[in-house]
Amino acid sequence: MSNRSIELDDRIHAYLMAVSLREDPIARRLRETTAAMPEHNMQIAPEQGQFMAMLVKLLGARRCIEVGVFTGYSSLLVAAALPPDGGIVACDISESHTAIARDFWQEAGVAERIDLRLGPAMETLADLLSAEGSNSFDFAFIDADKSHYDGYYESCLALVKSGGVVAIDNTLWHGTVADPGVTDRDTEAIRALNRKLHGDERIDLSLLPIGDGLTLCRKR
Ligand code: CA
């Protein structure tokens, strides 16, 4: 027995999926459509999406932010988990990726809950801060260009309420963050943010080894 997180080999991963994944057929088709694209690894794992939908329900979240939409898998699942008057402000720069997202949101019946803002997310978040003010959202998910992660985190932390959560994707970055020999810009940006979060007294912190690493920051 061990008090460490279990290592998921293919067999254990397949078992985990077999006994826990409950994937909506439209979400599954979106994932399969995206899997054929060259950038497919930008999509989160389905078990992570299911966890985030659960988290949003546990939080009783109504107003959410997503930084980095890609083809819309996580926003579809989170939107479906919100109450009828809930909504997501979804930020991305890609017209073509979000065109796929919009089709599937429509089909899944969640399109009216998702406010897609095309443009640099730092600008959209600044607009939100001036229009809505700080402490006005319940949940934010950051999964976009890693060089801006610190800025996205600071903006989202301002935007969420006390007790709200900022979730940050890819915080284990294929394990490269733990390899001192890897010093590219993205790896360094994630490493720096991970170090900062560890000492950040504004939040309660948990880094989950799900997907490529998902850090939950609960605003105090
Ligand atoms: Ca990601």
Side-chain angles (χ1 to χ4, degrees):
M1 296 305 284
S2 163
N3 59 1
R4 279 177 43 165
S5 299
I6 192 169
E7 225 169 291
L8 291 185
D9 62 20
D10 289 349
R11 192 174 61 152
I12 302 173
H13 180 256
Y15 177 79
L16 179 154
M17 300 288 265
V19 298
S20 73
L21 187 66
R22 296 175 172 176
E23 194 175 33
D24 172 85
I26 298 168
R28 179 182 296 267
R29 245 189 317 109
L30 169 54
R31 194 160 57 81
E32 287 164 357
T33 302
T34 306
M37 296 169 58
E39 317 90 326
H40 64 91
N41 62 358
M42 284 165 63
Q43 181 165 255
I44 63 164
E47 65 273 30
Q48 179 179 336
Q50 184 169 316
F51 169 73
M52 285 167 48
M54 164 85 86
L55 179 61
V56 159
K57 288 188 179 177
L58 289 172
L59 285 168
R62 201 172 62 78
R63 305 194 70 204
C64 304
I65 300 168
E66 183 168 89
V67 180
V69 174
F70 189 40
T71 56
Y73 183 81
S74 52
S75 32
L76 190 158
L77 296 185
V78 167
L82 295 176
D85 66 339
I88 305 175
V89 176
C91 313
D92 207 283
I93 51 168
S94 169
E95 192 95 45
S96 59
H97 291 157
T98 55
I100 299 170
R102 282 176 199 266
D103 286 347
F104 280 91
W105 294 341
Q106 197 70 46
E107 198 182 339
V110 297
E112 72 286 350
R113 291 188 195 168
I114 303 174
D115 173 8
L116 178 64
R117 310 270 183 102
L118 282 179
M122 284 305 295
E123 291 172 20
T124 305
L125 296 173
D127 291 346
L128 281 178
L129 260 173
S130 49
E132 317 272 343
S134 53
N135 306 306
S136 50
F137 287 83
D138 305 299
F139 177 74
F141 178 51
I142 299 170
D143 186 13
D145 56 305
K146 310 311 170 199
S147 55
H148 285 107
Y149 256 31
D150 190 69
Y152 297 148
Y153 167 68
E154 288 297 335
S155 299
C156 288
L157 190 65
L159 282 162
V160 302
K161 302 170 180 168
S162 171
V165 167
V166 179
I168 308 169
D169 198 38
N170 299 107
T171 47
L172 291 177
W173 205 226
H174 322 294
T176 58
V177 283
D179 179 351
V182 182
T183 58
D184 64 273
R185 200 175 68 145
D186 287 349
T187 304
E188 291 287 16
I190 294 171
R191 230 179 236 145
L193 180 59
N194 284 341
R195 268 196 307 268
K196 168 174 148 170
L197 296 176
H198 192 204
D200 194 335
E201 297 287 342
R202 299 171 295 174
I203 55 163
D204 299 314
L205 176 70
S206 182
L207 197 175
L208 301 175
I210 187 171
D212 192 29
L214 178 69
T215 295
L216 302 183
C217 309
R218 178 189 173 276
K219 186 172 176 176
R220 287 177 170 166

